[in-house]
Amino acid sequence: MGLEIDMAVLTQQEQQVVEQFRQLEPRRRRFVLLEMARADADGWKQFQEQGEPRLRELAAQKGLDWNQLDDQQRQDFVEEILDGDGREWSTNDRN
C-alpha cells in the first residue's frame, strides 16, 4: 500500500511536478527531497511531524515496528513507499 496523493487538490503545475518526481531514480529523489527540506525547513519539520504517524501506521500494516528500524531501514521503507513497486518489505531484507 503506497502513500496516495489526491491529485484533484493539486494545480496542474503541481501535478506535473509530482509526476516528474515519480519518474526520478530513488537516489535522485532523495537529493530533491533534501533540497526541498533545506529550502523550507519550517514547512519540512511540520510535514515530518504529520507524516511520521502515517509512516508508523504503514509499517505496522506490514508487520514492522517503526521504533525497531534503524535510520537506513526507515529510509529504505520510505523509498519503497515512494517507488510504489509493491514488493514486500521486512527487516530481514536489510540485515
Side-chain angles (χ1 to χ4, degrees):
M1 171 187 295
L3 213 49
E4 295 298 322
I5 298 173
D6 183 0
M7 296 293 271
V9 300
L10 301 177
T11 67
Q12 183 176 1
Q13 183 179 18
E14 291 165 339
Q15 289 176 13
Q16 291 171 344
V17 169
V18 170
E19 289 304 320
Q20 288 176 344
F21 178 81
R22 287 179 175 163
Q23 293 174 16
L24 294 173
E25 296 175 22
R27 182 170 177 259
R28 302 304 305 170
R29 288 181 190 175
R30 186 176 314 130
F31 293 138
V32 171
L33 288 174
L34 290 172
E35 181 58 31
M36 289 171 52
R38 192 170 62 88
D40 183 12
D42 291 338
W44 183 250
K45 181 175 170 70
Q46 182 181 11
F47 177 76
Q48 284 180 302
E49 290 169 354
Q50 294 172 351
E52 187 172 334
R54 180 65 177 139
L55 288 171
R56 288 177 179 278
E57 179 184 319
L58 290 170
Q61 289 174 6
K62 293 190 176 234
L64 302 171
D65 181 348
W66 184 258
N67 293 329
Q68 298 299 316
L69 301 178
D70 63 31
D71 287 341
Q72 184 62 52
Q73 290 170 322
R74 288 178 180 183
Q75 184 175 350
D76 291 345
F77 181 75
V78 170
E79 286 178 7
E80 180 206 335
I81 291 170
L82 292 174
D83 289 344
D85 63 6
R87 67 186 168 92
E88 289 301 314
W89 198 99
S90 73
T91 55
N92 293 335
D93 293 341
R94 306 300 187 250
N95 291 332

